[in-house]
Amino acid sequence: MPTYTAPVEDALFLLNDVFGYERYGNLPGFADATPDVVKAIFEEAGKFAGEVLQPLNQVGDRQGCTRADDGSVTTPDGFKAAYTQMTDAGWTGLIAATDYGGQGLPYTVGAVVNEFVSSANMAFGMYPGLTAGAYAAIDKHGSGEQKNLYLPKLASGEWSGTMNLTEPHCGTDLGLIRTKAVPRDDGSFSITGTKIFISAGEHDLTDNIVHLVLARIEGAEDGVKGISLFVVPKFLPDENGEPGERNAVACGALEEKMGIHGNATCVMNYDGATGWLIGDVHKGLRAMFTMMNEARLGVGIQGLAQSEVAYQNAAVYARDRLQGRALSGDKQAEKPADPIIVHPDVRRMLMNQKAFNEAARALVIWTALQADVSRGSADEAHVQAAEDHLGLLTPVIKGVLTDTGFANTVAAQQVFGGHGYIAEWGMEQFVRDARIAQIYEGANGIQALDLVGRKLPRDGGRAMMAFFKEVSEFAATHADDENLSAFAKPLGEAAKDLERATMWFMANAMAKPDNAGAGSTDYMHLFGLVALGYMWALIARTAHEKIADGAGDADWLKAKIVTGRYFMERILPETRAHVARIEAGSETMMALPAEAF
């Protein structure tokens, strides 16, 4: 039976010491979320995740969701009780505005709690996670009446939310959407069409489900410019704002999936369902991207979360499992064999996971803080810089954290050997659950194209230049620092690799766009390595400062430094391979005719 302990201490160290949480005290929500309050929240969230949600993870995987003939869906045993416990404790409204019954806490606090929930039970965490995305979209683009009707119910968790984009014939290319919206005299629309892969599309956890649906108003032009966004509730709200008449929307089927069995992934049929426009006509994609961007950061967190829980279990197993003797001589001579953690290759797998997890968590928190700045700062320059950061880093976090997170679950499974292939140990579930994160909310190849094709050149490359400046200045400033040179020098070289690849794209991608496509995934991972390396440099600087000041647990801080040096020596050099592949261009990749495959 797998276990999970939320990394509360690590999250607090990053938030308070590495990134200076108290410096953000002038932003909305931070005054009430003092460091002591945040510590208490993280501890309680960790306890809820470990004691309530984690024991249901294998239950949800084995039972899955069931659909009745009437289209209703039942979630696995224990899910409804756990969801009620979550809403009663106020976890669903953690970062929702106080005006709508939420607690109004920083987005960053919610991001950390999201990691804990996703590690403990990823399938369960998707129900409130999608609700948070629906809340954000309505909050930003909905009318005052829509906000007052839906946001309090979503914040409390009484109602849940979904996002409906994909159709049987189109996924990424939303311009092909066929779901149609016909105007009615009362200002509503009749929504007709089929959506697939709708996470949490139907379930028994809440009194109502609020679907956000992309559709084309009758007569609108083809392509993405003709798409609008609609709110289509499962039950039409009555005059008191409570669930009333059943709407003409139903779950036609449940998808049989590789993983996340505890979450209901539905085919949703809209048969003249009543919906209301959100935002402007034909501007639905822009409105939906509010939800999409939140979802992409959340999916990146899922990649980290599965990597973390898989690592924790692999580390415990490696310390306990006796197999063979250490190459350097017996370590536990009184026993028939040594624990497998003495073997360098087992250490390699564990260190790869540990070094990634701790830096990835830092990258998430750093970016989440920028989200708080973009939402609440009164300084226009700070808001612009924060929005630049979010635009640039969102595809990196989504793509790199989910690709590497999946690879790490496979490596953690490998630590278990044959037992990793057996369901009772839980490792194969982590592998299966983690796999979807590379696909949904925009497949990772699309994230890479978005980074190279849209994010790099945006505003004359302003966001990229700011990132280069920050990382390069840190590397140059600390290159001769006795404590930090082992971090600053390789970081500086990696930043040069990233700059070299960027310049290569500028010189070779405009005339031959396939060069950008051929190198985009390598570029995304190159960028991710530099960003994670920068996180380790910041962590190491803080750890050395605290050791010098006699603050904190010296052994714990020294372990941070050693783990960071491992990243710099063994993982960061991969930037060179990515550059070589990028500069190879697209010629051989695109040379064969389709018939040769």
Side-chain angles (χ1 to χ4, degrees):
M1 173 70 72
T3 60
Y4 172 68
T5 302
V8 173
E9 184 179 12
D10 194 45
L12 291 171
F13 166 73
L14 292 168
L15 195 58
N16 295 324
D17 298 314
V18 176
F19 296 113
Y21 176 77
E22 291 184 316
R23 295 190 293 110
Y24 298 85
N26 63 324
L27 297 177
F30 279 74
D32 294 329
T34 63
D36 286 344
V37 169
V38 172
K39 182 174 185 288
I41 290 171
F42 287 176
E43 288 174 344
E44 286 303 310
K47 185 184 299 183
F48 177 72
E51 296 179 2
V52 177
L53 299 184
Q54 192 277 330
L56 295 175
N57 196 36
Q58 286 191 315
V59 174
D61 184 58
R62 291 170 181 169
Q63 288 187 3
C65 297
T66 56
R67 177 185 174 278
D69 291 340
D70 64 358
S72 62
V73 171
T74 302
T75 52
D77 291 347
F79 271 46
K80 190 167 185 177
Y83 185 82
T84 299
Q85 190 172 341
M86 172 181 266
T87 56
D88 287 348
W91 291 114
T92 53
L94 196 66
I95 65 172
T98 55
D99 291 346
Y100 301 112
Q103 299 177 49
L105 296 179
Y107 175 83
T108 304
V109 174
V112 173
V113 172
N114 186 10
E115 184 202 331
F116 298 169
V117 171
S118 294
S119 278
N121 194 325
M122 180 171 156
F124 179 95
M126 291 171 65
Y127 292 103
L130 285 157
T131 301
Y135 177 102
I138 296 173
D139 186 35
K140 186 167 184 177
H141 300 285
S143 66
E145 183 180 359
Q146 288 170 339
K147 292 178 185 180
N148 290 331
L149 173 60
Y150 292 107
L151 296 188
K153 298 288 191 181
L154 294 172
S156 69
E158 293 176 70
W159 295 2
S160 61
T162 71
M163 53 194 298
N164 286 235
L165 291 81
T166 305
E167 299 182 6
H169 61 283
C170 72
T172 301
D173 190 355
L174 295 174
L176 299 176
I177 280 176
R178 294 174 186 162
T179 298
K180 67 178 182 178
V182 179
R184 291 172 173 162
D185 292 340
D186 63 359
S188 68
F189 290 78
S190 174
I191 310 297
T192 302
T194 296
K195 299 288 185 176
I196 63 170
F197 305 155
I198 309 306
S199 299
E202 175 62 29
H203 55 78
D204 59 352
L205 302 182
T206 60
D207 295 335
N208 204 357
I209 302 174
V210 180
H211 303 290
L212 295 189
V213 184
L214 287 181
R216 194 181 308 281
I217 296 176
E218 195 173 43
E221 66 178 290
D222 293 336
V224 296
K225 293 182 179 180
I227 297 174
S228 300
L229 180 64
F230 301 87
V231 56
V232 187
K234 173 181 174 180
F235 292 101
L236 300 173
D238 63 19
E239 63 276 9
N240 298 315
E242 297 300 325
E245 179 185 351
R246 177 65 191 259
N247 207 351
V249 53
C251 172
L254 286 177
E255 304 287 1
E256 295 290 337
K257 312 186 297 290
M258 176 179 176
I260 55 169
H261 295 156
N263 193 269
T265 305
C266 303
V267 175
M268 300 301 297
N269 295 323
Y270 294 84
D271 187 15
T274 300
W276 290 268
L277 182 71
I278 290 183
D280 297 328
V281 173
H282 309 323
K283 302 295 183 183
L285 205 55
R286 181 180 65 183
M288 183 62 88
F289 263 103
T290 297
M291 194 171 184
M292 285 287 287
N293 286 332
E294 296 241 347
R296 285 171 176 171
L297 290 172
V299 171
I301 292 172
Q302 288 178 344
L304 161 62
Q306 293 304 290
S307 178
E308 172 66 28
V309 68
Y311 161 75
Q312 286 189 18
N313 284 274
V316 170
Y317 185 83
R319 290 194 298 266
D320 292 341
R321 174 70 168 174
L322 301 180
Q323 197 81 52
R325 289 295 186 184
L327 298 175
S328 56
D330 297 358
K331 302 303 179 186
Q332 296 188 12
E334 74 284 2
K335 294 184 178 180
D338 290 326
I340 62 172
I341 200 167
V342 305
H343 303 308
D345 196 60
V346 172
R347 289 290 189 111
R348 173 188 62 82
M349 291 186 284
L350 292 174
M351 286 296 287
N352 283 349
Q353 296 160 53
K354 180 177 174 62
F356 166 80
N357 293 346
E358 295 178 20
R361 184 170 299 113
L363 185 59
V364 166
I365 290 175
W366 185 41
T367 302
L369 286 168
Q370 300 310 305
D372 280 314
V373 171
S374 73
R375 294 174 180 207
S377 177
D379 188 314
E380 291 184 7
H382 289 169
V383 170
Q384 182 186 84
E387 290 180 345
D388 285 351
H389 175 109
L390 287 166
L392 188 65
L393 268 294
T394 293
V396 175
I397 287 175
K398 197 284 183 182
V400 174
L401 267 58
T402 59
D403 276 351
T404 311
F406 173 73
N408 284 347
T409 63
V410 174
Q413 182 187 35
Q414 186 75 12
V415 170
F416 279 71
H419 291 293
Y421 205 66
I422 304 302
E424 72 175 279
W425 291 91
M427 304 307 290
E428 55 85 35
Q429 183 189 347
F430 299 143
V431 173
R432 290 185 288 105
D433 284 355
R435 185 63 183 90
I436 185 57
Q438 298 170 278
I439 298 171
Y440 58 16
E441 309 309 342
N444 286 355
I446 300 298
Q447 303 302 316
L449 284 173
D450 178 51
L451 175 64
V452 170
R454 295 179 63 245
K455 301 303 173 60
L456 289 187
R458 176 178 290 176
D459 299 311
R462 184 178 66 210
M464 192 66 198
M465 287 187 288
F467 180 82
F468 275 140
K469 183 174 185 292
E470 181 171 352
V471 173
S472 298
E473 285 184 355
F474 182 97
T477 300
H478 298 284
D480 297 323
D481 185 316
E482 181 181 357
N483 287 328
L484 293 180
S485 62
F487 292 85
K489 288 181 179 179
L491 177 62
E493 292 301 312
K496 290 177 183 177
D497 286 339
L498 181 59
E499 189 167 5
R500 174 176 166 177
T502 305
M503 297 301 292
W504 190 90
F505 277 137
M506 292 176 63
N508 295 278
M510 291 293 290
K512 193 172 183 180
D514 278 345
N515 281 333
S520 58
T521 291
D522 276 294
Y523 186 87
M524 179 180 71
H525 280 276
L526 169 56
F527 196 118
L529 286 169
V530 174
L532 293 171
Y534 182 44
M535 293 301 97
W536 268 120
L538 296 178
I539 292 168
R541 179 178 66 180
T542 304
H544 277 294
E545 289 172 350
K546 289 179 72 68
I547 290 171
D549 292 340
D553 183 334
D555 289 338
W556 189 84
L557 293 166
K558 288 175 183 177
K560 287 282 184 192
I561 294 168
V562 171
T563 305
R565 289 192 63 171
Y566 177 91
F567 183 92
M568 293 299 186
E569 294 172 3
R570 304 277 304 192
I571 299 176
L572 191 59
E574 292 171 11
T575 58
R576 298 163 204 162
H578 289 301
V579 172
R581 287 195 288 263
I582 289 167
E583 292 181 344
S586 62
E587 184 176 352
T588 54
M589 188 178 292
M590 305 303 293
L592 294 177
E595 295 75 20
F597 287 90

